[in-house]
Amino acid sequence: MVRASRTPGDSVHAARQQTGFLALALLLLAALLLPRPALAEDGYDLWLRYRPIPESEAAPYRARIAQLVAPATTPSQQATRDELVRGLGGLLGTPPPLADAAGVEGALIVGTPASSKQIARLGLATKDLGREGYRIRSVEIDGRDATVIAANTDAGAMHGAFHFLRLLQTRQPMASLDIREAPRTQLRMLNHWDNLTRHVERGYAGESIWDWHKLPDYLSPRYTDYARANASIGINATVLNNVNASAQQLTPMYIEKAAALANVFRPYGIRVFLSARFSAPVEIGGLKTADPLDPQVRAWWKAKADDIYKAIPDFGGFLVKANSEGQPGPQDYGRTHADGANMMADAVKPHGGIVIWRAFVYSHETPDDRAKQAYNEFVPLDGKFRGNVMVQVKNGAIDFQPREPFHPLFGAMPKTPLMMEFQITKEYLGFATHLAYLGPMFEETLRADTYARGKGSTVAKVIDGELHRGTLFKSGLTGMAGVANIGSDRNWSGSHFDQANWYVFGRLAWNPELSSRDIAEEWTRMTFSNDAAVVQPIVAMMMGSREAVVDYMTPLGLHHLMGRSHHYGPGPWVEGGPRADWTSVYYHRATKDGIGFDRTTRGSDAVSQYAKPVAAQFDDPAKTPEEFLLWFHHLPWDYTTKSGRTLWDELVVHYSRGVDAVADMRRTWDGLSGKIDPERHAQVATFLSIQQKEAQWWRDASIAYFQTFSQRPLPEGYAPPAHPLDYYESLEFPFAPGNG
Ligand code: GCV
């Protein structure tokens, strides 16, 4: 055998190579031994992070989850099993082994009596759980401990699985579980104000997540993660497009694209709805009219509905904004909102669909107080809608302000199912950079007492149907909608804390009587940490955050004082333009004599739209809760407030308190450095610094402006605005995001 001879050069080369291999091996070893950097925390995982439970706490969980019995014969069951494997695998280090039947101590069994023999044999009562509820129970099977997640349907089992994961994520004990949950409302829905251009009206989280151009062929993995996130909090419906709708959305091309999304969402129990443009029969149907009583128009909608249901068999129905802010509607033809809604309801009825008709209507041709117009328009229509129509009502009578009294329509339409509309995106609460947890705001409205059927007639009971169940409105439809804050930003919502607003909306839609504080704690544990030294300060910060925004933007019942059109920053001086009720001066009515909108019986009489005890309270400044004072009353600058201070001084105190609260939030957050991953900590810290600057801006601009009317000095110790009023008035933001 001939060996190749080696030259001296070869051995140098070989030696170099050896050293190189050694160095590489050492590097690899070091890489294995050195503490590895944590996964990049960019917020994409939302509250479904499933980071490992520390070893010191994991044993009891492992003991209870030693085996997973979860059938996967339908797409929905498969999705549930995948989520459990992913979640338990992340939380416990490795996923439990899968089995067809419980065979060891500590099995976890998930399913329905139809999908699981063992669940059927246990005979757990599931009747009252309805279509989406579930039970989670510790049981014994053949003398061995097991845990069962049982439901009547795959959707219920999925909700139960997410609940079970939440128990681990928030470190709840597992030993003797007996949980029974069923949603209190039927429709828990997101409203996307997303245009086909991917611009999101009032969106502050990038562009639309729906990549319409690439649909239906390309299905971004985001769509599945969107469905997972929604299913995890019980959201079961989504309206894909803006209520300021394009008729194009109803063309065959876009129906096919919507159908592709519906296919992704279906296993997660989420149904697709579309916003429909009332004039579509004219714009894309070639008809001369969209008159709801015209037979051709009715036939057009029927055929359109038939086409949609062919593509999307479980299509939910239409959401409609009509005769509002320039949108077409039945009144263009001298018809009523009921005529319009009923015509569309008839079209979807054979398929089991519904129509959600928005009550957000006001007309600049009507000289009446804008706050009264929806009530005036809709109360006479109570009882005139088809059984498959819901009327969707914003939480307050103006427009998603940082604080509004509850909408007088709640409780005033006993024969009509009313759907709540909250705004999750923060159009009026500082966009994505202001930390404002909206839970307390939602809760405030839901707990408000309408007195519609005596004391205790809360808005929550109107929404979940309890107040009128079995008596007046018969259809039993119930629901809650939230205008989504979701976009293409990596963290979905534009900021880490805005994810909490999506989360709390879903949880309250499931059960409108939950506590926003409990939900904040749950979210914090899942999103940041279970360490009490993190949970406690974050929850405290979240719970005070919305009140801080109210203080530095619109204290004591002031409202609608933001910059024109884009709604960014203060604009109490906004006047003129196309319509009075799009200005600020219309709402604050400041003069040298005082400030506030007189909605009492002596003024616009909006108070009389509420039930008697509520009206009596709001009619009297001494009885009106101070947070609504200037919503209902025009009062002199030296009016004595509850603190004993004059109204002017009290306003300045509130504005300043709001800014101070943001400074406190910054301090709290700084104190959490090292306890939170650096990526998310840094972004929140920067956003808080923006918020502080802007809170100061709101305070200073508002004080500078209102001082021109009050003509009073600032109370002792309160700093004057940093700039003269004309500086604030001169600021322009032509490219602020989300403008309609
Ligand atoms: C979708 C407010 C917003 C509009 C929005 C409207 C509505 O006026 O500024 O962008 O339009 O509410 O809820 O329809």
Side-chain angles (χ1 to χ4, degrees), residues 186-191 236-239 243 271-278 315-322 337 340-342 344-346 348 353-360 378 385-394 416-421 477-482:
Q186 290 169 358
L187 273 179
R188 305 171 300 277
M189 164 186 274
L190 289 180
N191 288 183
N236 65 358
T238 181
V239 184
V243 288
R271 290 166 81 194
V272 158
F273 287 66
L274 292 174
S275 291
R277 185 162 167 86
F278 198 77
F315 179 62
F318 295 123
L319 170 65
V320 188
K321 172 177 177 177
H337 284 285
N342 292 344
M344 290 169 87
D346 290 344
V348 292
I354 65 165
V355 166
I356 301 169
W357 198 265
R358 292 177 90 224
F360 179 64
F378 277 85
F385 292 99
R386 296 277 193 271
N388 60 332
V389 174
M390 299 187 79
V391 170
Q392 184 165 298
V393 182
K394 289 190 180 182
T416 310
L418 298 188
M419 182 143 173
M420 169 64 78
E421 179 174 332
L477 290 172
T478 55
M480 203 189 281

Side-chain angles (χ1 to χ4, degrees), residues 193 201-202 242-244 321 324-325 327 358 360 362 370 394 398-400 421 423 427-428 483 560 562 565 567 582 738-740:
W193 285 358
E201 184 159 347
R202 312 308 176 188
N242 193 351
V243 288
N244 291 333
K321 172 177 177 177
S324 162
E325 298 186 331
Q327 295 300 307
R358 292 177 90 224
F360 179 64
Y362 59 99
R370 170 170 158 186
K394 289 190 180 182
I398 296 296
D399 194 10
F400 299 137
E421 179 174 332
Q423 193 179 43
E427 174 180 359
Y428 299 105
V483 180
H560 206 288
M562 63 290 161
S565 301
H567 301 171
W582 282 358
N739 208 351

